[in-house]
């Protein structure tokens, strides 16, 4: 077994973003078993997957920025999706390339934490329980 110490950064990034092995496999275009090996440090992350993860992190930061701006504009509720498919079929998918629910949830948690701690504004994270998500946009209030 080769030690890929430098790849601990990418495995940690995947954890931070809430990416599952299935998500990493989809991002890289390889099997879930290979993705699990990557996340466990048993294999080296392919260069294209490393680049894709940094792009995903950049999009994550953009989503947090948009969420914070919406809080400052008075928004008090954000929808949380249960599955990648639900997120991908929602209007929020335009703001969130890739449509992975883990990073989306992590971004919304960052917005919630920032609003509560730094802005002292209550923000609700609510599951979007409707199968038809077309009527919702990022955080539209009900």
């Amino acid at each position: 077994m080769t030690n890929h110490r430098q790849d601990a950064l990418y495995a940690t990034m995947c954890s931070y973003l809430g990416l599952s092995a299935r998500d990493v496999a989809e991002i890289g275009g390889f099997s879930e078993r290979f993705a699990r090996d990557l996340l466990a440090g048993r294999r080296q992350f392919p260069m294209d997957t490393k680049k894709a993860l940094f792009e995903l992190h950049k999009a994550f930061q953009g989503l947090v920025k948009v969420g914070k701006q919406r809080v400052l504009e008075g928004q008090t509720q954000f929808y949380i999706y249960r599955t990648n498919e639900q997120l991908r079929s929602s209007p929020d998918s335009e703001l969130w390339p890739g449509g992975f629910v883990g990073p989306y949830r992590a971004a919304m948690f960052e917005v919630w934490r920032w609003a509560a701690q730094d802005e002292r504004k209550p923000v609700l994270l609510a599951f979007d329980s409707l199968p038809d998500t077309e009527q919702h946009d990022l955080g539209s209030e009900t």
Side-chain angles (χ1 to χ4, degrees), residues 57-115:
H57 185 260
K58 187 175 164 182
F60 167 87
Q61 291 174 315
L63 186 58
V64 170
K65 185 177 178 179
V66 167
K68 287 179 177 182
Q69 184 58 42
R70 291 195 174 171
V71 168
L72 293 174
E73 293 169 358
Q75 190 166 323
T76 60
Q77 180 172 309
F78 293 88
Y79 285 103
I80 301 300
Y81 301 97
R82 288 177 162 74
T83 65
N84 289 346
E85 292 73 27
Q86 188 182 36
L87 175 58
R88 289 171 183 169
S89 68
S90 77
D92 291 342
S93 65
E94 294 176 15
L95 291 171
W96 186 233
F100 297 104
V101 74
Y104 177 85
R105 286 180 175 186
M108 293 300 96
F109 181 78
E110 279 296 310
V111 171
W112 175 86
R113 186 210 51 79
W114 168 83

Side-chain angles (χ1 to χ4, degrees), residues 1 16-17 21 34 49 51 58 64 87 92 105 125 131:
M1 175 169 93
Y16 174 76
L17 292 173
F34 186 79
T49 304
K51 289 177 183 176
K58 187 175 164 182
V64 170
L87 175 58
D92 291 342
R105 286 180 175 186
L125 300 181

